[in-house]
């Protein structure tokens, strides 16, 4: 049985996360435009310094777009890398505890939503960021459900 996934692409025994490139590139472009405005229309040195910091945030957004999450069903491992320069981390399926979706609100408006994957390793809770979103948790909920489905499929195929 072949199942289509919205957030993952199967490459052999590894399901590779498609990523959130549009979000991070859009954010980086928006921040670059603010940086340019700070340099062109900045009335004083303070505004230009703020432009440099905004430019650094834009660079961080571009680096975050290189994040990787892979679900290796053959080895029952989840592999993650936060951005291009960070080391790869690997987590065992058996250490997986749960997903956590965190909403940040301002008054009644949800302004940021983050999905984390939580693991219990050596008696300590470890987490890593899966994805971020704006205004609604629904896409992140779908992502976590898809990951659970892939992990459940791996559990079914490795049962002896």
């Amino acid at each position: 049985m072949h199942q289509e996934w919205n957030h993952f692409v199967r490459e052999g025994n590894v399901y590779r996360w498609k990523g959130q490139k549009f979000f991070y590139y859009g954010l980086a472009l928006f921040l670059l435009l603010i940086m340019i405005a700070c340099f062109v229309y900045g009335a004083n040195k303070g505004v230009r310094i703020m432009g440099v910091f905004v430019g650094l945030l834009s660079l961080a957004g571009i680096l975050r777009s290189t994040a990787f999450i892979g679900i290796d069903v053959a080895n029952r491992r989840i592999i993650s890398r936060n951005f291009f320069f960070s080391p790869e981390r690997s987590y065992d399926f058996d250490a997986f505890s749960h997903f956590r979706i965190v909403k940040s609100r301002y008054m009644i408006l949800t302004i940021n939503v983050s999905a984390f994957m939580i693991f219990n390793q050596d008696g300590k809770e470890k987490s890593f960021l899966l994805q971020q979103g704006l205004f609604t948790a629904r896409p992140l909920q779908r992502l976590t459900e898809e990951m659970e489905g892939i992990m459940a499929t791996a559990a079914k195929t490795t049962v002896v």
Side-chain angles (χ1 to χ4, degrees), residues 130-141:
L130 289 174
Q131 187 170 327
Q132 289 183 303
L134 299 171
F135 310 121
T136 180
R138 177 85 52 215
L140 301 182
Q141 185 65 40

Side-chain angles (χ1 to χ4, degrees), residues 100-102 113-117 128-132 140 144:
R100 181 176 297 148
I101 296 178
V102 179
V113 184
S114 302
F116 295 91
M117 198 166 196
F128 74 86
L129 178 66
L130 289 174
Q131 187 170 327
Q132 289 183 303
L140 301 182
T144 58

Side-chain angles (χ1 to χ4, degrees), residues 6 10-11 13 20 25 31 38 62 73 112 114 120 123-124 133 135 137 149 157:
N6 293 325
R10 186 173 184 174
E11 297 173 354
N13 288 326
Q20 226 180 339
Y25 289 152
L31 292 173
C38 287
I62 291 169
V73 293
N112 182 37
S114 302
N120 289 320
K124 294 183 180 178
F135 310 121
T157 59

